[in-house]
Amino acid sequence: MDALLSEGGTEDAFWGAYVRDLSTGRTLYRRNPEKAFLPASNQKLITTAVALDALGSTYRYETTLRFAGQTVDSVMTGDLIIDGSGDPTFGSVELRGRDPLRAWAERLAEMGVRRIEGRLIGDDNRFDDRPYPEGWDVDYITRQAGRYMGTSASGLSYSDNVVEVKISAARPGAPPNVRLRPGGTVEVRNEARTSSRWRGSSVRVERIFTDNTVQLTGSVARSYRGTVNVPVSNPTTFALRSFVRRLQDAGIRTDLEVVDIDDLRDDPGQPPADGEALFVSLSPPLSEIVAVINKRSNNFYAEQVFRTYGWGGSAPGASKRTEAFLRRSGINVRHLRVNDGSGLSRKDLVTPQAMVDVLDVMSDHEEQAAWFASLPQGGENNTTLEYRLHRVPVQAKTGSLRFVRALSGYARRPDGSRVAFAFFANNYTGPSYRVTRTIDDLVAALSEPKG
């Protein structure tokens, strides 16, 4: 391993490594084992470990639609309230199922409802009102940096808190055609133009930081057709407007005032009544959710789960509960800093030894079955290891940010024993692919017979 780390053009990286034989507890290799590193998405291993310990693999989120009012003939009058639970899967495209808002609207139509008057209230108080943790790049939040980069956390979330912006060219000189999915949920400011070029587009899609307005600038080629995912700024309003649209699609006329429950705090004369539960949407069990987090490195799911087990539904509360779990497990937290659940924060810090300690604890945890099932295997389809470590007996979580690469998990030795490992590379200036290749060579070396 010393030889691998001193060749291949990665010598300028700040390397951290720790390898432990889980059957004997013996340390097989170490390099800067107690130095603090940016873990990137390896942070998700800590998040999912704490979640399984605190909530259990069978935990399910519940999102409820309540009604406080009266129904006369086919008209409902009063307050409809959506009680959020922080469910990341509610209307999510990641764990595909029937859209719960569409299902609710269609069931109301089947019950004979033809009109709804009053207020549609979103209760997002399961979490606090600080959707972003410390240390995130603002570009994650406002630009199309991937479907799950910089997405707001919220006690009431829908469709991954992301709007799909479908763009297609119009005639040269005209603004391109823009269609939103779900529609009618955010405002669009289309300042882009269709150029006369057949190829070559410079369109830029951003969300204005302070509100749910998507802005298009630049130009698209006259052959352009594409989809951009943009995170919304107010997930509660996004969910409520989406439900209004679903009601209209189901043939129900609405005269609903969309209200965030926080806006009623200063108006004691208009509090929502408890109401009657009409429908309840259950999430898949946590075992399936943590599998999405670790196998597909879903940042949004990680942040929602992080706040779910956090005291007060907050990122700081989740950080404290994470540290409590680590201390209870006998893990040194002196050099750790936990600011988020996904690892997007550049203020997260973890040591290679602490990461291996977490892997060691979970290898013998009562939730070990769900834990191991959540980890990608080398070459496994539709995971972050799909194109890496084929035919290598490894289960591990990847991590990547700018100037950061990481891989932590388990490997089988030729004698059948299992080792836990953590490999971190920070602050390198060379090509990222060389660092990734070196990490893969390190893992493969663990599984090679001695010769």
Side-chain angles (χ1 to χ4, degrees):
M1 289 192 172
D2 282 337
L4 289 170
L5 291 173
S6 63
E7 57 191 34
T10 63
E11 300 87 353
D12 68 333
F14 177 44
W15 281 100
Y18 197 83
V19 183
R20 177 183 298 157
D21 186 317
L22 293 180
S23 59
T24 65
R26 186 165 65 96
T27 298
L28 302 182
Y29 185 76
R30 68 174 72 195
R31 176 175 289 209
N32 297 318
E34 296 183 359
K35 296 293 186 181
F37 289 80
L38 283 172
S41 283
N42 272 204
Q43 186 71 30
K44 295 182 176 73
L45 289 172
I46 298 175
T47 300
T48 51
V50 180
L52 288 171
D53 180 79
L55 305 173
S57 58
T58 60
Y59 176 86
R60 292 177 185 262
Y61 292 89
E62 296 183 2
T63 305
T64 305
L65 179 66
R66 295 187 288 112
F67 177 58
Q70 59 182 355
T71 302
V72 178
D73 297 328
S74 61
V75 180
M76 297 175 69
T77 304
D79 289 338
L80 275 174
I81 306 105
I82 302 180
D83 283 335
S85 60
D87 182 3
T89 73
F90 190 70
S92 172
V93 302
E94 194 72 66
L95 286 173
R96 293 188 180 276
R98 193 178 185 194
D99 182 336
L101 295 184
R102 185 185 299 277
W104 287 354
E106 291 176 352
R107 288 179 67 183
L108 287 171
E110 291 168 1
M111 294 163 57
V113 176
R114 295 293 175 263
R115 183 174 179 83
I116 304 177
E117 300 173 345
R119 298 183 298 185
L120 177 60
I121 300 170
D123 187 344
D124 56 9
N125 285 341
R126 176 63 182 80
F127 295 171
D128 72 357
D129 291 325
R130 297 172 61 187
Y132 309 116
E134 291 187 26
W136 278 17
D137 192 318
V138 69
D139 281 351
Y140 295 162
I141 299 170
T142 60
R143 298 188 61 190
Q144 68 274 23
R147 183 171 180 87
Y148 304 114
M149 293 288 280
T151 308
S152 301
S154 175
L156 176 55
S157 295
Y158 172 71
S159 190
D160 307 301
N161 291 348
V162 166
V163 62
E164 289 186 355
V165 183
K166 296 181 178 294
I167 308 168
S168 60
R171 59 178 175 78
N177 301 309
V178 177
R179 185 163 59 91
L180 303 180
R181 181 177 177 274
T185 54
V186 300
E187 302 298 323
V188 177
R189 185 181 299 169
N190 188 358
E191 298 175 358
R193 288 292 179 267
T194 303
S195 74
S196 58
R197 300 187 306 273
W198 182 251
R199 297 185 184 280
S201 299
S202 61
V203 65
R204 184 183 178 102
V205 183
E206 296 180 295
R207 175 177 61 75
I208 296 175
F209 186 80
T210 54
D211 60 35
N212 276 345
T213 299
V214 174
Q215 179 173 282
L216 281 73
T217 56
S219 66
V220 300
R222 56 192 176 95
S223 62
Y224 184 85
R225 184 182 297 271
T227 300
V228 174
N229 297 303
V230 180
V232 300
S233 69
N234 190 323
T236 301
T237 300
F238 176 64
L240 297 177
R241 288 181 178 175
S242 297
F243 189 39
V244 170
R245 186 63 178 258
R246 296 296 182 233
L247 291 169
Q248 294 169 346
D249 291 344
I252 299 174
R253 292 178 296 161
T254 65
D255 184 20
L256 289 169
E257 178 189 1
V258 170
V259 181
D260 186 316
I261 198 167
D262 294 334
D263 295 335
L264 301 178
R265 289 175 177 171
D266 299 328
D267 189 1
Q270 294 293 322
D274 290 338
E276 173 190 0
L278 298 178
F279 313 121
V280 177
S281 174
L282 290 177
S283 75
L286 185 65
S287 57
E288 294 185 29
I289 295 172
V290 297
V292 171
I293 293 173
N294 286 333
K295 287 180 181 286
R296 304 178 194 171
S297 206
N298 189 301
N299 297 307
F300 170 62
Y301 277 36
E303 294 301 329
Q304 292 290 113
V305 168
F306 186 61
R307 286 164 176 76
T308 299
Y309 70 67
W311 291 313
S314 68
S319 298
K320 291 177 181 178
R321 191 163 189 183
T322 299
E323 291 178 7
F325 164 81
L326 296 174
R327 288 194 183 94
R328 191 173 70 248
S329 301
I331 299 172
N332 186 354
V333 300
R334 178 183 175 188
H335 299 296
L336 269 69
R337 298 294 182 271
V338 178
N339 283 286
D340 69 1
S342 63
L344 285 177
S345 174
R346 298 194 79 93
K347 291 187 176 182
D348 290 331
L349 292 173
V350 67
T351 67
Q353 184 168 334
M355 184 62 74
V356 168
D357 286 342
V358 171
L359 294 166
D360 197 344
V361 167
M362 294 306 295
S363 70
D364 195 36
H365 194 276
E366 62 182 1
E367 293 287 1
Q368 62 175 284
W371 168 255
F372 281 110
S374 77
L375 301 178
Q377 300 183 49
E380 183 179 355
N381 290 336
N382 299 316
T383 73
T384 56
L385 286 182
E386 183 171 9
Y387 303 108
R388 296 175 61 181
L389 295 167
H390 290 264
R391 301 185 183 88
V392 177
V394 59
Q395 285 184 276
K397 178 74 194 76
T398 58
S400 62
L401 287 173
R402 195 178 185 190
F403 311 126
V404 177
R405 289 296 183 271
L407 189 71
S408 299
Y410 307 92
R412 286 284 183 186
R413 301 284 285 148
D415 62 4
S417 62
R418 176 183 278 161
V419 299
F421 65 84
F423 297 122
F424 297 144
N426 283 189
N427 302 334
Y428 58 85
T429 57
S432 293
Y433 76 85
R434 289 182 180 172
V435 176
T436 299
R437 183 175 61 195
T438 297
I439 290 175
D440 288 357
D441 289 343
L442 291 167
V443 174
L446 294 173
S447 303
E448 292 175 355
K450 295 178 180 179

